[in-house]
Amino acid sequence: MIETKAANTLVRGPDGFHAYNTDYQCVLETLRANLPAVPGGSPLHDKTVLVLGAGGVARAVTHALHHEGALVTIANRTEERGHALAEEVGCRNVDWAARHNVIADILVNCTSVGMHPNVDESPIHPSFLKPGLTVFDTVYTPETTLLVKESRDRGCHVITGVDLFVRQAALQFQLFTGREAPQDLMRKVVKRALSPVTIRSEDESDA
């Protein structure tokens, strides 16, 4: 939280309130769980990462990645915000139009592009998606965004926003209650709530 200068969870304790940033911790947990383990080190060390976006999630992501020794490049649709975040973190920034020229091991989408209802949009051209590239889309509504679908079709290793969302919910549950969260159950509930059938039923009920 000190690095990101932001918090999304407040917990009241005997000595007052404590602030936490679940984005920071859970982004690292999500990536570590989905990348090959490195004995005695971080699987993110020296990995080249392209981060799309410069908002709240991107701030936590870039700080976390930088702390792990990753080589981070930020591309944001508003150049000034991307440049400001890159200076804050101490990483590279490129224009949004130049994002496809970046060579990366990992792509992290922290923009809202592809989020419901704009499900036919993707923040990156399919030609950027190569076999072996790890693609982490933080959007979770829907879970299978166009970016996720195209990445799978092109042989990328895909991490969806649901994984991050569930880990954040589990961490907040633990912070609030002091007990371990039932992550498997939480994941099932979230996936059921975000299923196409559920979305269709809600749309029809609003008609």
Side-chain angles (χ1 to χ4, degrees):
M1 186 201 67
I2 295 175
E3 288 187 49
T4 62
K5 303 176 184 177
N8 61 4
T9 305
L10 287 176
V11 180
R12 186 173 184 175
D15 55 345
F17 284 97
H18 296 266
Y20 300 87
N21 188 316
T22 61
D23 286 338
Y24 185 103
Q25 180 174 334
C26 294
V27 160
L28 289 180
E29 289 180 1
T30 301
L31 285 167
R32 287 170 184 155
N34 286 278
L35 294 174
V38 176
S42 169
L44 293 164
H45 185 72
D46 282 342
K47 295 293 185 183
T48 55
V49 185
L50 173 60
V51 175
L52 303 178
V57 174
R59 172 169 277 102
V61 167
T62 50
H63 274 288
L65 291 170
H66 183 71
H67 185 267
E68 292 289 293
L71 308 175
V72 181
T73 299
I74 298 171
N76 189 53
R77 287 170 289 184
T78 305
E79 184 180 354
E80 293 78 9
R81 291 188 65 184
H83 180 72
L85 180 57
E87 282 199 336
E88 176 187 316
V89 176
C91 63
R92 183 177 171 228
N93 174 66
V94 297
D95 292 344
W96 182 254
R99 67 194 185 282
H100 295 101
N101 299 327
V102 177
I103 298 175
D105 300 308
I106 302 171
L107 170 70
V108 186
N109 175 39
C110 298
T111 74
S112 60
V113 179
M115 184 180 293
H116 183 78
N118 301 315
V119 296
D120 295 325
E121 299 177 358
S122 175
I124 205 82
H125 193 275
S127 62
F128 184 86
L129 306 171
K130 309 292 185 182
L133 175 70
T134 296
V135 177
F136 181 9
D137 193 347
T138 64
V139 172
Y140 59 87
T141 51
E143 178 177 14
T144 305
T145 60
L146 182 59
L147 173 59
V148 165
K149 182 181 182 303
E150 291 179 337
S151 297
R152 285 175 175 158
D153 290 344
R154 289 176 170 266
C156 300
H157 177 61
V158 175
I159 308 170
T160 73
V162 166
D163 196 344
L164 174 61
F165 183 79
V166 170
R167 289 178 190 277
Q168 287 179 302
L171 177 56
Q172 288 179 321
F173 180 92
Q174 182 179 353
L175 290 170
F176 289 137
T177 68
R179 295 184 287 124
E180 288 294 321
Q183 281 201 39
D184 290 341
L185 175 61
M186 295 170 78
R187 183 171 284 104
K188 289 178 182 177
V189 170
V190 170
K191 283 181 173 288
R192 185 165 61 246
L194 296 177
S195 68
V197 173
T198 302
I199 293 173
R200 194 182 309 118
S201 297
E202 290 176 353
D203 289 343
E204 289 171 355
S205 66
D206 291 338

